Amino acid sequence: MIDYFKSYFDKIKSTKTLASSSGVNWYISLFNSLLITVGISSILSQAVWYLLDSLQTNQIYQPYYMSAMWELSSFSLIIFNTIILFTIQHRIIEALIKLNSYLNKLIFKGISRFDLWYWKKYKKESILTNNIFKIQNKYMARSKKQKKIINFMFVICLGTYYVATWIY
């Protein structure tokens, strides 16, 4: 059993090398995969509760094991989350890394096409690329502490967005 966890954590660590070779931020993919895991497990636990409710209402009498089933189902969110976390989490991370890499390539192609179109039409350098370059230079000129604060605030905003869209 311990060997399974060691090899599984090695698989999770290998996704970090996949992310760095693909040019994708690993932490964002990890965070998104954890949110997807929580979402899937909550949907599955709601399905279990619906199934138990329909099973209980369709019976004439209440079986002796029904109260135990309801108590066990109250932990179904944790059970499903743990099962997904320790079986297919690395696959979800890999899929999100590949998706992010593909989207990055699409965005780069779109910016390149816009630059070419803008240059052909106006015979000037693209304002889009120049502004992206200026923002990147401003970010890179900051101290390491300020970069960490900016990244932390970005993660907080991203988490708030996910929670707000999840609730509403």
Side-chain angles (χ1 to χ4, degrees):
M1 189 72 171
I2 293 175
D3 293 334
Y4 174 77
F5 287 118
K6 284 182 183 178
S7 67
Y8 188 75
F9 289 127
D10 289 339
K11 289 177 186 176
I12 297 285
K13 289 178 185 175
S14 70
T15 60
K16 202 170 195 176
T17 58
L18 176 68
S20 64
S21 68
S22 298
V24 176
N25 190 346
W26 181 75
Y27 293 107
I28 291 175
S29 298
L30 177 70
F31 184 67
N32 287 337
S33 69
L34 291 174
L35 287 174
I36 288 171
T37 302
V38 169
I40 290 171
S41 61
S42 67
I43 289 169
L44 289 174
S45 63
Q46 287 175 1
V48 166
W49 295 328
Y50 178 75
L51 180 74
L52 280 176
D53 183 50
S54 64
L55 183 69
Q56 187 175 9
T57 55
N58 290 334
Q59 293 181 351
I60 299 171
Y61 65 95
Q62 184 173 358
Y64 67 93
Y65 56 84
M66 193 53 78
S67 61
M69 293 289 285
W70 277 108
E71 287 180 23
L72 183 64
S73 73
S74 65
F75 296 106
S76 63
L77 180 70
I78 297 168
I79 293 168
F80 287 130
N81 204 2
T82 305
I83 289 170
I84 293 171
L85 198 67
F86 288 120
T87 54
I88 60 168
Q89 188 70 32
H90 67 285
R91 301 276 188 210
I92 297 172
I93 295 171
E94 288 174 2
L96 287 173
I97 288 171
K98 290 176 183 175
L99 177 70
N100 285 338
S101 176
Y102 178 71
L103 291 176
N104 286 344
K105 287 178 186 176
L106 286 180
I107 290 170
F108 179 71
K109 283 182 182 178
I111 290 172
S112 297
R113 286 184 182 169
F114 177 78
D115 282 346
L116 184 62
W117 171 81
Y118 192 82
W119 183 78
K120 283 181 179 180
K121 186 166 184 169
Y122 298 108
K123 302 292 185 206
K124 294 181 184 177
E125 288 185 25
S126 174
I127 54 173
L128 178 65
T129 308
N130 288 340
N131 286 336
I132 290 172
F133 184 69
K134 285 178 188 176
I135 290 171
Q136 185 179 7
N137 281 338
K138 285 181 182 179
Y139 176 76
M140 296 307 285
R142 298 194 182 268
S143 68
K144 197 173 187 178
K145 183 179 180 181
Q146 288 176 334
K147 287 180 194 177
K148 284 184 179 180
I149 291 171
I150 290 170
N151 289 341
F152 183 71
M153 292 306 295
F154 176 73
V155 168
I156 293 294
C157 290
L158 189 66
T160 306
Y161 170 74
Y162 280 138
V163 167
T165 55
W166 181 260
I167 292 173
Y168 299 110

